[in-house]
Amino acid sequence: MTEKRDWHPSASLEMIRARAHLLGQIRDYFQQAGVLEVETPVLSRCGTTDPAIESFTTRYMGPAAPRGWDLYLQTSPEFPMKRLLAAGSGPIYQICKVFRQGELGHRHNPEFTLLEWYRPGYDHHTLMDEVASLVNRLVETPMEVEKLSYRAAFQRHLQVDPHLADGEQLRELAIERKIPGAGDLHLDSRDGWLDLLLSHLIEPHLGQSGMTFLYDYPATQAALSIVRRETPQVAERFELYLAGMEIANGFHELLDSDEQRRRFTEDNRLRVERGLPEVDMDEPLLDALAAGMPECAGVALGVDRLLSYLSGCRDLRALLAFDFTRA
Amino acid sequence: MASYSTNEFKGGLKIILDGDPCSIIENEFVKPGKGQAFNRVKIRNLKTGRVLEKTFKSGESVEAADVHETDMQYLYADGEFWHFMDPDSFEQVSADAAAVGDNAKWLKEQDMCTVTLWNGAPIIVEPPKFVVLSVTDTDPGLKGDTSGSGGKPATLETGAVVRVPLFVQIGEAIKVDTRSAEYVSRAKED
């Protein structure tokens, strides 16, 4: 079937200029801050094991690979950037395209632009402060900055402790708070219910009068962050919200290679349980961690969503020169 | 049984929800960067007309509803059912009060209506956008006042009551917009 497709951009020229201006401002900021811009491969022989993120895969054929290599398109530049840190790069940043299978909607495009940066010597709190100062340089009037722990957000909006409530209690809460269809949902983990409550009942309130950072996530949602040994355990991870929209995700980065391997293995176990393909874990990253990565914090910030916030345009398609249907 | 995955969700898709046929109005993909993906959907229950919301886990499947719209000719009412005929196959269906609802007051024999069928049975009956009906009752005493201000109520042959200009008289045929229940013009009865 041949489908007649529109050749025009989906963004206005004005928006295309606004994007260029934003990228220029970001690069100015990091240049002044003495952070090095880097580029790392978009195609990689290893992918992310994260069960909530699916990679695009492709295949290389040619010199050096007579039988071909399976390759993943990056879902974030995190692993190679950490290898640079372990090699002594010092503070680094990157602006690049990343790819996520199956994500298309008002706030999602299967390929999007990430700004990712790493700060040796920082923890998640000092990095939140830097994210706030960067964002405040980009807006006309500097915003109030609110830091809210994941626990405090759930207590404030839902009167529940997200670290202590069990899956059944969270499910009942979702029904009681009238998330439509909550009673029919079959979620296979406590984290699934936390995600449902957060995305439906808490997120809309975040970053509505300034910027809101959520921090200290449940240890089960640590991803690649340090888990603090206290009771209950919390992960030194944060997210930035502007106008109810998730903009950035950051970690006080896990340094322990053995612990990282355990998490990758657990991710793959979950993948198998959910019928998802297993992903080859990134051995070079594990080797780099074992060789010694400096203590650091890192963050990934969605540039398209930031542009959405700054321009007031909530239609993702109008922010991309060519949206996914025109790609 | 046919079913749709959430990846097929889009406006107009017909699904079964809690046993009733529904039509998707809006579908929103919601996903935390590192968390569970959901589809938050706005749906119209085709039997009750009510709009509701529902959250699905992305990737879930939902039963498909065998629902389609077809143009049918209104034949007659027998007090309990309204009878319609497919003009091509001459097949007849009967709609109950729940399907016809308030639209009963616009149904005139021989008119073509849009009938929504679920598993072959009517669940929604929509009259034509414009119908021509004759006036069976209206206040005649106001003849001569042509200022056009306000108008007056008129009862039509089907029982519907609409506001008409003062010059409209009993026995005349008028054209009515069924979506707004407003008088459009005088008409020649056909």
Side-chain angles (χ1 to χ4, degrees), chain B residues 3-11 13 24 27 39 61-62:
Chain B
S3 64
Y4 296 118
S5 120
T6 56
N7 285 340
E8 295 174 84
F9 280 10
K10 60 176 183 184
L13 192 76
I24 292 179
N27 169 41
N39 285 67
S61 286
V62 186

Side-chain angles (χ1 to χ4, degrees), chain A residues 50 52-53 102-104 106 108 180-181 184-187 195-196 199-200 246 249 251, chain B residues 7 18 26-36 38 40 53-57 60:
Chain A
D50 190 328
I53 299 178
E103 301 189 7
L104 181 62
H106 301 306
H108 294 84
D184 299 329
L185 282 173
H186 299 284
L187 302 177
D195 286 339
L196 178 74
S199 58
H200 284 67
E246 177 190 333
N249 176 69
F251 303 136
Chain B
N7 285 340
D18 302 325
E26 238 177 68
N27 169 41
E28 195 186 354
F29 179 73
V30 179
K31 183 184 182 302
K34 296 196 173 290
Q36 176 67 51
F38 300 101
R40 196 152 58 192
E53 287 185 22
K54 175 116 176 160
T55 295
F56 296 92
K57 189 169 125 180
E60 261 185 327

